[in-house]
């Protein structure tokens, strides 16, 4: 920031040498996050604080992912059905390397393609699976949450930080967070009601 003559003080979290408390985090006026995954607690926590967030734009995010693949799309995993046991579900026994293989391309049901791309794939494969990464990135909070700022270069990031209306951005984030709280509370209330009814209902003979 000093190089570009901007009135900004940037602090790297790694330089602090410790995790910050929520009180310490709230002392900052904005945050720049370079996502290393599609879902990050630090993003959710900063958004809940209505702290303006800057993240790389889509194209830069894809390029960064090629260097450090996101964990969510790098893991393999085995999809399990509602079968009563692993044997019925066709899941290999513990210790079998096949247990960690990714599901087939027709996940979740053989013969169908409910999703354009299955959620498990090797992000480090060649050729680089750009279409799969781009597909799932569109579902991330970085894209879907209003008020999140993006940048395509370091100068653009610094310029955006220096010239942004941080109070306006925070206001938009607070409004959306309040709406999320209302809808989430309704979902959990409905789930709790169904659970209470199920518990109170006597079992048949």
């Amino acid at each position: 920031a000093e190089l570009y003559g901007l009135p900004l003080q940037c602090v790297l979290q790694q330089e602090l040498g410790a995790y910050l408390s929520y009180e310490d985090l709230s002392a900052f006026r904005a945050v720049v996050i370079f996502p290393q995954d599609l879902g990050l607690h630090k993003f959710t926590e900063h958004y809940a604080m209505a702290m303006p967030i800057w993240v790389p734009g889509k194209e830069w995010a894809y390029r960064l992912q090629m260097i450090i693949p996101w964990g969510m799309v790098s893991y393999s995993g085995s999809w399990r059905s509602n079968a009563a046991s692993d044997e019925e579900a066709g899941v290999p026994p513990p210790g079998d390397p096949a247990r960690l293989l990714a599901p087939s391309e027709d996940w979740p049901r053989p013969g169908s393609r409910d999703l354009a791309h299955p959620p498990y794939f090797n992000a480090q494969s060649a050729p680089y699976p750009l279409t799969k990464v781009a597909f799932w990135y569109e579902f991330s909070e970085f894209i879907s949450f209003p008020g999140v700022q993006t940048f395509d270069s370091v100068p653009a990031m610094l310029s955006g930080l220096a010239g942004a209306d941080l109070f306006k951005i925070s206001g938009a984030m607070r409004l959306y967070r309040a709406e999320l709280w209302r809808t989430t509370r309704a979902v959990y209330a409905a789930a709790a009601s169904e659970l209470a009814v199920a518990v109170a209902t006597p079992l048949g003979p």
Side-chain angles (χ1 to χ4, degrees), residues 18-40:
Y19 287 105
L20 298 178
S21 66
Y22 289 109
E23 182 178 1
D24 291 334
L25 286 175
S26 66
F28 293 90
R29 194 59 192 92
V31 61
V32 178
I33 296 177
F34 288 87
Q36 79 276 11
D37 212 329
L38 287 176
L40 300 176

Side-chain angles (χ1 to χ4, degrees), residues 6-8 54 149 155-167 169:
L6 299 175
L8 299 173
W54 268 257
Q149 310 298 304
M157 176 193 72
L158 295 173
S159 176
L161 284 165
D165 187 339
L166 300 181
F167 289 102
I169 295 172

Side-chain angles (χ1 to χ4, degrees), residues 78 92-93 95-102:
S78 55
D96 189 331
R99 190 181 181 93
L100 299 179
L101 294 177

Side-chain angles (χ1 to χ4, degrees), residues 87-99:
E87 184 177 357
E88 293 179 8
V91 178
D96 189 331
R99 190 181 181 93

Side-chain angles (χ1 to χ4, degrees), residues 44-67:
T44 305
E45 291 167 348
H46 282 92
Y47 198 96
M49 298 168 68
M51 182 179 295
I53 300 173
W54 268 257
V55 298
K58 294 180 183 180
E59 292 186 5
W60 200 6
Y62 301 154
R63 293 197 295 269
L64 291 173
Q65 204 273 346
M66 294 175 67
I67 301 172

Side-chain angles (χ1 to χ4, degrees), residues 1-186:
E2 182 178 354
L3 179 64
Y4 291 95
L6 299 175
L8 299 173
Q9 181 181 2
C10 300
V11 178
L12 296 177
Q13 184 176 2
Q14 290 84 346
E15 294 178 347
L16 300 175
Y19 287 105
L20 298 178
S21 66
Y22 289 109
E23 182 178 1
D24 291 334
L25 286 175
S26 66
F28 293 90
R29 194 59 192 92
V31 61
V32 178
I33 296 177
F34 288 87
Q36 79 276 11
D37 212 329
L38 287 176
L40 300 176
H41 287 300
K42 60 186 174 184
F43 178 93
T44 305
E45 291 167 348
H46 282 92
Y47 198 96
M49 298 168 68
M51 182 179 295
I53 300 173
W54 268 257
V55 298
K58 294 180 183 180
E59 292 186 5
W60 200 6
Y62 301 154
R63 293 197 295 269
L64 291 173
Q65 204 273 346
M66 294 175 67
I67 301 172
I68 306 176
W70 295 321
M72 179 178 295
V73 294
S74 296
Y75 301 146
S76 292
S78 55
W79 177 79
R80 300 183 180 216
S81 68
N82 293 325
S85 66
D86 284 354
E87 184 177 357
E88 293 179 8
V91 178
D96 189 331
R99 190 181 181 93
L100 299 179
L101 294 177
S104 62
E105 287 292 316
D106 55 8
W107 179 93
R109 293 189 300 274
S112 69
R113 292 295 299 273
D114 292 348
L115 299 170
H117 300 285
Y120 300 107
F121 59 90
N122 183 2
Q124 303 180 53
S125 61
Y128 176 67
L130 175 60
T131 55
K132 296 180 181 180
V133 174
F135 175 80
W136 285 105
Y137 190 76
E138 293 294 328
F139 291 91
S140 70
E141 296 173 343
F142 318 130
I143 298 296
S144 60
F145 278 26
V148 179
Q149 310 298 304
T150 62
F151 58 90
D152 294 315
S153 66
V154 172
M157 176 193 72
L158 295 173
S159 176
L161 284 165
D165 187 339
L166 300 181
F167 289 102
K168 183 177 180 179
I169 295 172
S170 293
M173 297 170 73
R174 287 192 181 94
L175 288 175
Y176 185 68
R177 179 64 183 177
E179 180 62 25
L180 280 181
W181 169 247
R182 285 192 292 270
T183 55
T184 302
R185 183 173 55 182

